[in-house]
Amino acid sequence: MLDQLEFSGDLWVSPGPGGWTFITLPVECVDQIRFLAGGRKAKSWGMIRVKASIGSSTWRTTIWPDKASGSFLLPVKAAVRKAEKVSAEDRVVVEMTVLDEPGT
């Protein structure tokens, strides 16, 4: 499917409060994400709504723009990490769809 991206990345934990866990999307995905977002202005600091899957776990979230990498960050919920038995520094395969509307 053209509207679905598949990529692999390493899980990492942010050093700040709360220790959020992310995957940095490959820079090669940036243009496709912006195209799929339809040029609409992202809300809330440039975040874009997505549906993501790792293994058999699927969740809805937003990807965050990251100036340091020139790409986006995908937050990975604790429930997903637990269900898929993955943790920081593990490499995972992600399937991701950019969503048009909040309910899609």
Side-chain angles (χ1 to χ4, degrees):
M1 291 173 48
L2 292 175
D3 62 343
Q4 190 167 36
L5 296 106
E6 184 173 323
F7 57 90
S8 61
D10 297 329
L11 292 164
W12 58 274
V13 178
S14 68
W20 287 69
T21 301
F22 294 100
I23 298 171
T24 304
L25 278 64
V27 175
E28 299 81 36
C29 295
V30 172
D31 288 339
Q32 186 175 2
I33 290 166
R34 289 194 175 124
F35 175 78
L36 293 172
R40 66 185 181 277
K41 290 191 177 186
K43 297 180 180 180
S44 303
W45 304 287
M47 295 179 180
I48 297 174
R49 294 178 190 271
V50 299
K51 180 172 73 171
S53 298
I54 295 174
S56 61
S57 299
T58 299
W59 74 104
R60 292 172 189 266
T61 188
T62 54
I63 53 175
W64 307 357
D66 178 44
K67 289 182 182 179
S69 68
S71 187
F72 291 92
L73 304 179
L74 172 67
V76 181
K77 298 169 27 165
V80 171
R81 297 190 315 270
K82 183 177 180 180
E84 299 303 322
K85 297 180 174 82
V86 295
S87 59
E89 300 182 19
D90 287 343
R91 179 164 284 274
V92 296
V93 174
V94 177
E95 291 182 3
M96 191 180 79
T97 304
V98 174
L99 301 175
D100 290 329
E101 300 292 330
T104 58

